[in-house]
Amino acid sequence: MPQPLHHYRRFSIAPMLEWTDRHYRYFARLMSSQTLLYTEMVTTGAILFGKGDYLEYNTEEHPLALQLGGSDPQALAQCAKLAAERGYDEINLNVGCPSDRVQNGRFGACLMAEPQLVADCVKAMQDVVDIPVTVKTRIGIDEQDSYPFLTDFIDTVSATGCNTFIIHARKAWLNGLSPKENREIPPLDYPRVYQLKQDFPQLNISVNGGIKSFEEMATHLEQLDGVMVGREAYQNPYLLAEVDQRLYGIDKPTLTRDEVVDLMLPYIERHLQQGGRLNHITRHMTGLYQGIAGGRRWRRYLSENAHKADAGIEVVLAARDSVSSFPPSVG
């Protein structure tokens, strides 16, 4: 990671449960060397008491941030220390997830109502690691959605020395809306995030929520330090092939979709040799040919064949061939 971490914050991919696992992150990194990648949210309980290795990642994924879910300062500090020892570049505290399961564990978006507890959690992690500790939050929760509520939260948490906040520009309804609805129904309020940057110019502030195009990104970057893209970066992953050139000014050729597939093949083969299933990886690649002739054929071929027990690399090659043999005039 030759640049300081704040260089990479210009563009990041949001932590998304069951989506941004290590296979997706490897895939994303092939297309962009500059993007700051985030893990799925991992709870402190999973890391401290779970049976699997919840901190596993590929070294190629750097720069890489671990997103933690929890509200016990001591447990968060333990997990942050473990993550720093494993080489993560950043620890991010989730103060944005609205699911019932998260609230029952007293973490996620409901923590916005307890800014001093969030500050205590951040401080406990800062005390045991040398890497940045950052916070991802909403602009409000339930009826607590005034601008003073948000600034009080930022004031309290930034007093610890935490200088980086990623703001999902929607409030969260903790009751009555599912996590999916909470990503779509509460209206986006980008001007509120812009105002936050004006009032806290010393902080590094990124915006998240509903961002789909480079034009939108450019608009946000006129006001803010970074953009974080979620669903669009997953469902239309080929946009990542232009991130380094368009957002970081790096002069390099843009990979073709077929070249991205070629670069994934050795990784897929290693995974299969270790006993993994093909669809563990290809499920993250189904959107690669989105928007071009034959793209649906690629998606369908992978969906119908990659889950089979004996599926190997030939399935990926056949899916790619099905795109290139598709008549250009047909969508």
Side-chain angles (χ1 to χ4, degrees), residues 266-291:
Y267 181 82
I268 294 171
E269 287 182 317
R270 282 199 303 275
H271 176 70
L272 294 172
Q273 286 163 4
Q274 291 161 4
R277 298 286 288 266
L278 181 65
N279 65 329
H280 292 166
I281 297 175
T282 57
R283 71 187 185 95
H284 302 302
M285 299 172 63
T286 57
L288 181 60
Y289 290 85
Q290 181 176 307

Side-chain angles (χ1 to χ4, degrees), residues 55-224:
L55 296 177
E56 185 181 9
Y57 67 93
N58 306 290
T59 55
E60 294 87 350
E61 293 172 40
H62 291 293
L64 176 64
L66 171 71
Q67 189 185 61
L68 287 174
S71 60
D72 177 339
Q74 186 178 359
L76 285 162
Q78 278 181 270
C79 293
K81 192 167 188 296
L82 290 170
E85 288 167 357
R86 293 287 288 271
Y88 280 88
D89 301 299
E90 173 189 318
I91 306 296
N92 179 265
L93 181 64
N94 182 316
V95 190
C97 182
S99 80
D100 293 339
R101 189 169 64 84
V102 167
Q103 288 180 64
N104 293 338
R106 195 165 167 235
F107 57 90
C110 61
L111 285 176
M112 276 201 87
E114 301 184 73
Q116 189 55 55
L117 174 59
V118 174
D120 293 345
C121 290
V122 168
K123 182 71 168 62
M125 291 188 279
Q126 289 172 330
D127 285 347
V128 296
V129 300
D130 294 326
I131 57 176
V133 177
T134 69
V135 170
K136 184 171 189 286
T137 188
R138 296 272 182 144
I139 57 173
I141 47 172
D142 297 337
E143 304 303 334
Q144 296 174 291
D145 62 351
S146 69
Y147 185 66
F149 173 77
L150 177 59
T151 56
D152 177 62
F153 176 84
I154 298 294
D155 248 335
T156 303
V157 179
S158 63
T160 64
C162 176
N163 64 3
T164 300
F165 293 82
I166 301 121
I167 313 292
H168 187 155
R170 289 183 173 93
K171 74 172 179 178
W173 285 103
L174 299 182
N175 296 295
L177 292 185
S178 70
K180 181 177 187 295
E181 289 169 331
N182 258 304
R183 291 192 296 269
E184 296 166 355
I185 292 176
L188 286 157
D189 188 349
Y190 298 131
R192 185 168 293 196
V193 186
Y194 298 165
Q195 185 64 49
L196 202 62
K197 176 62 183 178
Q198 289 173 23
D199 293 341
F200 294 88
Q202 75 280 16
L203 300 180
N204 186 295
I205 294 181
S206 294
V207 66
N208 169 231
I211 303 166
K212 294 188 173 180
S213 69
F214 283 105
E215 291 69 32
E216 292 172 83
M217 295 177 212
T219 300
H220 293 311
L221 288 169
E222 288 172 7
Q223 307 270 348
L224 300 166

Side-chain angles (χ1 to χ4, degrees), residues 13-25:
I13 298 177
M16 293 176 281
L17 277 172
E18 298 181 0
W19 284 10
T20 52
D21 67 11
R22 62 191 174 90
H23 301 312
Y24 170 77
R25 299 191 305 261

